[in-house]
Amino acid sequence: MRSLVAWLGFAIIGASFVWLQLLPERPPTRSLTVAPRISDGLGTVIIDPGHGGQDSGTIRAGLLEKDLALDVARRLDRILQAKGIPTLLTRDGDNYVSLAGRAATANREENALLVSIHFDDAKPTATGVETYYAPRRITTAPMIASWVPFLQHPEEQDNFDSQSFAGFVQDSLVAGTHAVNRGTRAEPFYVIANVRHPAVLVEGGFLTNKDDAAKLTTEQYREQLASAVADGVTKFRALMRERQRTVAAQGPRS
Ligand SMILES: [Zn+2]
């Protein structure tokens, strides 16, 4: 009897270990209207709507940051797909995804870009749009390292790509929305600092500002915002394509 109990204990421990291994971080949502995965060799645009589920983000004036972020992310997704650009949403519903889960989704992709969508809160006079990039980011790790955590030695490197990406997105945001230009800023926010791709975090307005909040309640403005971000993404991808061509034309250096 005692050995039966012991075996049962082992079985339960084994089963729960297997269960923990299998337990999914909510799977990323690929858009249903799937464009060709590799349309132009520049890879996927990962769209990360901030917050979700029990994490509402900022709540002001009846607006929830998580809802606005998802709405704008879905619009951005549709606009990019229409341009034939492959996309991937880190969440496509009102569910909680950890920051680590979001970064892991991004790091499973090759040649990707990440755009995280947020809205801000501050004193009532603060208004406008800003785009963040991480001052440094982890280097490209070989695929195996993402499966075997103890092999991971994330090294950091300067993040000029993300800085340049942020510049394109910010310029397009200001041109497309006429919102106050708060510029690009370097901050090591987790989701942009822990991906191995050029990554930016957009703060698309202040829910604590009367005018920003009023604009954000309209679909038209949210569409404008999404389309401005899409413009920035498209321009940065064009630059990347140009760079690829230059590298290809130069050929391997001797
Ligand atoms: Zn946020």
Side-chain angles (χ1 to χ4, degrees), residues 50-51 57-58 65 117-120 201 203:
H51 311 279
T58 296
E65 183 185 356
I117 308 282
H118 286 254
F119 296 89
D120 220 341
L201 185 149
E203 291 281 1

Side-chain angles (χ1 to χ4, degrees), residues 74 88-89 93 109 116 119 147 151 169 186 200 232 234 240 246 252:
R74 281 176 172 159
L88 177 63
L89 286 160
E109 297 291 314
S116 189
F119 296 89
W147 302 334
L151 284 182
V169 170
V200 296
T234 313
M240 287 168 67
T246 314

Side-chain angles (χ1 to χ4, degrees), residues 13-78:
I13 289 165
S16 30
F17 179 75
V18 169
W19 171 247
L20 278 175
Q21 296 307 304
L22 294 178
L23 206 61
E25 184 80 58
R26 240 189 129 104
T29 322
R30 233 170 248 291
S31 289
L32 293 177
T33 46
V34 175
R37 271 312 304 283
I38 303 296
S39 54
D40 51 12
L42 292 175
T44 305
V45 177
I46 298 149
I47 305 169
D48 176 48
H51 311 279
Q54 68 267 37
D55 171 15
S56 298
T58 296
I59 308 175
R60 283 298 146 84
L63 293 172
L64 273 65
E65 183 185 356
K66 65 173 181 176
D67 293 342
L68 285 175
L70 182 59
D71 179 275
V72 171
R74 281 176 172 159
R75 290 171 193 273
L76 175 59
D77 181 48
R78 170 175 45 74

Side-chain angles (χ1 to χ4, degrees), residues 65 116-121 128-132 170 173 189 201-206:
E65 183 185 356
S116 189
I117 308 282
H118 286 254
F119 296 89
D120 220 341
D121 67 321
V129 289
E130 56 201 350
T131 307
Y132 288 90
Q170 181 65 16
L173 269 174
F189 292 133
L201 185 149
V202 169
E203 291 281 1
F206 287 80

